[in-house]
Amino acid sequence: MNDISTIGVDLAKSVFQLHGVDETGRPVLRRQLRRSQMLEFFQNQPGCLVGMEACASAHYWARELTKLGHEVRLMQPSYVKGYVKRGKTDQADAEAICEAVSRPSMRFVPVKSENTQGQLVIHKAREFLVRQRTQIVNAIRAHLGEFGIVVPKGIQNTGRLIEACDKATLPGAARKALNLLADQLMDTKKKIEDLTADVASVAASDEAARRLQTIPGIGPITASALVASLPDVSDFQSGRDLSAWIGLTPKPHSTGGKERLGRISKMGNRYLRRLLYLGAMAQVSSRRRGEPGHDWLWQIIQRKKPKQAAIALANRMARTVYALMKNGTEFQAAKSA
């Protein structure tokens, strides 16, 4: 056991697979551990390099093993897949993790603190409740439509939907069911407002989030999510690298010296990409209703469709986020000539 220099851990709910090698790369450890045995095993193990795939519980185990004196590195699962020799077994996955973590060109995921994970839980819970609210609204609208009552789409018409539900002449059984859905809708709406207030409070107390909110199209929710989700921006060589990390850059299909750029790659954090897109779409819609001009956004709107212009603006916003977080400055709009 003292010869082990690198250990690859295939995480799971109950049973963990370990694969360890010495300094020459020779396998010296193949073992399964129960969850209750993990900390005891690594506590008795001299400090070494430990590799894991970045999954739900990886950040917790990384913090715990770091306290025991080990160097823990997390990797994106798609980067590890290329090192799997054959088949899909826990032992093959652990061996691939052990091999991938020792590669000098491998990209690693920063370990999140408990505070950062707590902030992200607020965002995830709020997003979950927003999806539930949409489901309830669609259910009520569909049920009322069966009785010839139609309300315009849009979450902004929730009040009209509840009012139509109250005034409608419905059978007793349908009335009871729709009242239950209406009560659940109002309760879900209240919970969303509470979590939104918590996010706004966190964004107001964080200096980096306050600076990001000076960018047009970025509010408290987006700013808080960016601060909690982004790694150290110094790890990116440029703003384009950050935009590519979020998935807002074209996906290349190049061969034989011919460069072809396709649609955006949609890699990285889907939640951040959607927030930036929604903020950009609001800016595009507002600019289309405004006065004509010669600024960059107006020229993009004239040449591209609204959603394409929003993606281009979201890409630009991601680059601006990189500049603000790296330099510690606030956004300043470019002055027209």
Side-chain angles (χ1 to χ4, degrees):
M1 290 298 180
N2 296 331
D3 298 333
I4 298 177
S5 63
T6 306
I7 297 179
V9 181
D10 183 40
L11 298 174
K13 294 181 179 179
S14 302
V15 180
F16 302 81
Q17 181 70 42
L18 276 61
H19 182 89
V21 298
D22 58 15
E23 294 182 354
T24 63
R26 181 174 60 90
V28 293
L29 172 68
R30 289 189 179 94
R31 182 173 178 180
Q32 279 190 350
L33 294 177
R34 307 291 298 183
R35 173 178 290 271
S36 59
Q37 300 173 324
M38 276 284 289
L39 293 180
E40 180 182 358
F41 172 83
F42 281 98
Q43 188 174 8
N44 298 326
Q45 176 67 33
C48 61
L49 175 62
V50 180
M52 301 178 186
E53 291 180 335
C55 60
S57 60
H59 295 276
Y60 162 76
W61 287 113
R63 291 193 299 267
E64 294 298 321
L65 298 187
T66 300
K67 295 177 183 178
L68 299 177
H70 300 282
E71 181 184 359
V72 183
R73 296 179 182 176
L74 305 183
M75 299 165 290
Q76 187 174 336
S78 59
Y79 293 165
V80 179
K81 187 176 181 180
Y83 293 91
V84 179
K85 292 185 175 67
R86 179 176 293 183
K88 178 65 178 73
T89 64
D90 293 345
Q91 183 174 341
D93 291 344
E95 183 178 355
I97 294 171
C98 186
E99 176 69 21
V101 73
S102 61
R103 298 298 92 195
S105 61
M106 179 57 62
R107 299 176 181 177
F108 301 104
V109 178
V111 179
K112 292 183 174 63
S113 64
E114 290 185 351
N115 184 38
T116 300
Q117 282 192 293
Q119 295 179 20
L120 291 176
V121 167
I122 298 178
H123 284 274
K124 294 176 182 178
R126 182 184 178 277
E127 184 182 17
F128 174 75
L129 291 175
V130 168
R131 291 198 302 267
Q132 278 195 336
R133 181 183 62 181
T134 302
Q135 292 175 348
I136 298 171
V137 169
N138 291 339
I140 295 177
R141 181 181 290 109
H143 294 325
L144 290 178
E146 297 179 4
F147 295 95
I149 303 171
V150 179
V151 178
K153 295 182 179 180
I155 200 64
Q156 68 276 8
N157 294 316
T158 302
R160 297 175 60 182
L161 186 67
I162 298 298
E163 183 180 356
C165 184
D166 294 337
K167 293 182 178 179
T169 303
L170 302 173
R175 166 65 62 188
K176 179 179 180 181
L178 288 174
N179 286 342
L180 291 175
L181 289 177
D183 292 341
Q184 185 177 357
L185 175 60
M186 300 308 296
D187 183 58
T188 303
K189 184 178 179 181
K190 177 64 169 58
K191 293 178 180 177
I192 294 174
E193 293 174 352
D194 292 342
L195 291 179
T196 303
D198 293 340
V199 172
S201 176
V202 172
S205 62
D206 189 273
E207 188 267 339
R210 290 197 301 269
R211 287 190 286 105
L212 292 183
Q213 292 180 67
T214 60
I215 303 175
I218 293 183
I221 296 177
T222 306
S224 175
L226 286 168
V227 172
S229 301
L230 290 181
D232 187 359
V233 293
S234 61
D235 295 339
F236 301 102
Q237 295 183 359
S238 64
R240 189 190 184 281
D241 288 348
L242 175 58
S243 182
W245 183 82
I246 298 176
L248 289 170
T249 54
K251 188 175 182 180
H253 299 273
S254 304
T255 183
K258 297 181 180 179
E259 296 186 359
R260 298 182 179 88
L261 298 179
R263 300 178 179 179
I264 60 173
S265 64
K266 295 185 179 180
M267 300 293 288
N269 194 312
R270 180 184 303 177
Y271 182 60
L272 291 182
R273 185 169 59 252
R274 184 167 64 87
L275 289 177
L276 289 174
Y277 167 76
L278 292 176
M281 194 64 193
Q283 293 295 308
V284 170
S285 300
S286 176
R287 190 68 184 86
R288 292 179 67 195
R289 295 191 298 265
E291 296 293 332
H294 300 284
D295 56 296
W296 175 86
L297 182 56
W298 179 261
Q299 295 177 4
I300 290 291
I301 293 175
Q302 301 308 306
R303 294 188 288 110
K304 299 294 183 179
K305 297 180 181 179
K307 292 185 178 180
Q308 292 176 327
I311 290 294
L313 180 56
N315 188 351
R316 190 183 180 102
M317 290 165 61
R319 296 169 184 244
T320 306
V321 167
Y322 169 82
L324 265 60
M325 295 189 70
K326 182 177 181 180
N327 301 326
T329 57
E330 294 185 358
F331 176 79
Q332 295 181 358
K335 297 181 179 179
S336 58

